[in-house]
Amino acid sequence: MSSEQMVHMNRGQGETSYAQNSSLQNAAQNRMRSLIEEAIADLCSTSTLLPSRSMVVADLGCSSGPNALVLVSIAVDAIQSHCLRYQQQPLAEICVLLNDLPDNDFNVVVKSLVAFQQSHKSIVAGIVPGSFYGRLFCSDSLHLVCSSNSLHWLSKAPDELKRNRIPAYDIDEHVRRERRTIVLGAYARQFGKDFTQFLELRAKELVPGGRMVVSLAGRRSEEPASKYTHAWESVAQILSEMASKGVINRGKFESFYIPIYGPSDEGLRDIIQSEGSFSIRELQVHEPTSDNTLITPSRMANMLRAGFEPIIIQHFGPAETIMDKFVSTAERRWSLQGSLQEELAANPRVILVVSLTKKV
């Protein structure tokens, strides 16, 4: 991740923390359960993949809070259940590795990891800080890689937009519509570069025949990309209103780029096939699990704050009230009956889940 932008979720356990506002992300993780279990069954059934009777499982972009151990817990339970079901000797050891950027709240993660080790025998665990757009592990050392709700975060915002001073989200709606294709194209190209690099690096780190199961925010291929500007549309709209009213500096808003892109399922498939290191076992497209009618303006505002506060504060300055104004602006926007549901319906997003096998 670019050093210019400090990307991490809100720390701690408070009301505005990611830990208290991550139920949607947990639902996305549970969508991965069957594919992780299938990957484990495949690995355990192929004796050549486990010559030392040990397995290494890595979660990339683990974040913090209650979701940090969900994916590795699914994997460990699946390993133990498989051995029991087929009366196989339990693996000698399972190594669990958790990764995220250095600014992640690893203090909370480590405490959870210690408790996890105490309740699961033969578990070796470790923390690996760093960007998953760089090398993280030794060659041919991993058996299973998981990642949930992380890979739509880019290594950086598109340089071409910054270089040409093209705002990611124009306050002027007419100009925004005219530039939408340019902006989307720049973000799509950056995602293509980043995801290709991610695949190349993981191909070096996974054993031959190793498995990978990842999920990320995206859109359906049949939904025209021209309708959307960003996966972070709601954040942009709130900040745009704040800039229009002078709450935040308009110039700073026009130079604000959140490094997120939600690809289509076909776009994701094309990148994987073009890179060539992996075969696609399955690619699923899921609607968000939560019913939009149950998401209140206050809950939605807090979820956005938990995910975007650090990067907003870094760009606009450490004003103590800026995020309080962000929340109040959001709640005011959505105070009319049906307005929040209408906004969510106008910007439909899906969860893409893909299961991959490293080619031998």
Side-chain angles (χ1 to χ4, degrees), residues 174-238:
H174 177 71
V175 176
R176 184 167 67 247
R177 289 179 182 274
E178 287 186 338
R179 288 177 168 173
R180 181 167 285 161
T181 301
I182 297 173
V183 172
L184 278 174
Y187 270 88
R189 286 187 288 276
Q190 184 65 51
F191 177 82
K193 292 176 184 177
D194 284 344
F195 197 72
T196 296
Q197 184 172 10
F198 176 85
L199 294 172
E200 291 173 348
L201 294 168
R202 303 297 81 81
K204 293 178 181 178
E205 297 165 349
L206 279 160
V207 299
R211 299 296 303 271
M212 185 153 63
V213 181
V214 303
S215 71
L216 66 159
R219 61 179 177 82
R220 294 184 181 275
S221 294
E222 61 266 26
E223 294 169 348
S226 58
K227 281 185 62 178
Y228 314 107
T229 302
H230 296 291
W232 51 282
E233 190 87 10
S234 292
V235 175
Q237 290 172 343
I238 296 165

Side-chain angles (χ1 to χ4, degrees), residues 34-328:
S34 63
L35 293 182
I36 292 174
E37 291 172 344
E38 182 273 330
I40 291 297
D42 181 40
L43 290 166
C44 290
S45 301
T46 309
S47 59
T48 56
L49 291 178
L50 304 172
S52 61
R53 298 292 300 161
S54 64
M55 187 180 294
V56 181
V57 177
D59 179 357
L60 308 188
C62 67
S63 194
S64 62
N67 293 342
L69 295 175
V70 169
L71 298 184
V72 294
S73 294
I74 292 173
V76 169
D77 289 345
I79 294 168
Q80 295 174 340
S81 295
H82 184 277
C83 293
L84 183 63
R85 182 181 303 121
Y86 294 98
Q87 298 182 336
Q88 292 180 352
Q89 182 180 353
L91 295 179
E93 61 183 18
I94 305 168
C95 180
V96 169
L97 301 172
L98 300 180
N99 154 264
D100 213 312
L101 292 169
D103 286 314
N104 185 52
D105 192 354
F106 282 118
N107 287 332
V108 173
V109 175
V110 168
K111 292 177 182 178
S112 300
L113 197 52
V114 170
F116 181 75
Q117 285 183 277
Q118 291 173 345
S119 62
H120 292 77
K121 295 185 178 182
S122 301
I123 298 293
V124 178
I127 300 291
V128 184
S131 169
F132 47 53
Y133 295 122
R135 279 297 298 269
L136 294 168
F137 310 101
C138 296
S139 298
D140 299 326
S141 64
L142 305 178
H143 295 90
L144 174 66
V145 168
C146 299
S147 180
S148 175
N149 207 54
S150 296
L151 283 163
H152 46 257
W153 284 95
L154 305 174
S155 65
K156 61 181 179 179
D159 286 332
E160 59 191 279
L161 296 182
K162 296 180 180 181
R163 185 169 57 250
N164 295 313
R165 296 185 179 180
I166 298 175
Y169 191 91
D170 278 283
I171 292 178
D172 186 302
E173 184 176 357
H174 177 71
V175 176
R176 184 167 67 247
R177 289 179 182 274
E178 287 186 338
R179 288 177 168 173
R180 181 167 285 161
T181 301
I182 297 173
V183 172
L184 278 174
Y187 270 88
R189 286 187 288 276
Q190 184 65 51
F191 177 82
K193 292 176 184 177
D194 284 344
F195 197 72
T196 296
Q197 184 172 10
F198 176 85
L199 294 172
E200 291 173 348
L201 294 168
R202 303 297 81 81
K204 293 178 181 178
E205 297 165 349
L206 279 160
V207 299
R211 299 296 303 271
M212 185 153 63
V213 181
V214 303
S215 71
L216 66 159
R219 61 179 177 82
R220 294 184 181 275
S221 294
E222 61 266 26
E223 294 169 348
S226 58
K227 281 185 62 178
Y228 314 107
T229 302
H230 296 291
W232 51 282
E233 190 87 10
S234 292
V235 175
Q237 290 172 343
I238 296 165
L239 293 173
S240 175
E241 184 171 329
M242 292 170 69
S244 297
K245 295 181 177 180
V247 177
I248 57 176
N249 181 275
R250 179 164 180 161
K252 282 198 170 185
F253 173 73
E254 291 176 346
S255 62
F256 184 55
Y257 305 88
I258 294 182
I260 284 182
Y261 178 75
S264 68
D265 54 317
E266 282 305 315
L268 190 66
R269 183 185 298 274
D270 289 344
I271 295 170
I272 295 168
Q273 292 176 339
S274 177
E275 192 277 329
S277 297
F278 294 88
S279 58
I280 300 174
R281 298 288 288 260
E282 193 165 352
L283 200 167
Q284 302 175 349
V285 182
H286 297 287
E287 298 292 339
T289 303
S290 293
D291 184 348
N292 285 346
T293 61
L294 300 179
I295 300 178
T296 65
S298 177
R299 184 185 176 201
M300 184 66 177
N302 280 331
M303 286 192 294
L304 292 179
R305 179 173 187 170
F308 294 97
E309 179 169 348
I311 201 169
I312 290 174
I313 291 294
Q314 184 187 19
H315 184 79
F316 291 100
E320 294 182 2
T321 60
I322 187 171
M323 292 312 299
D324 291 337
K325 291 178 179 177
F326 177 91
V327 170
S328 63

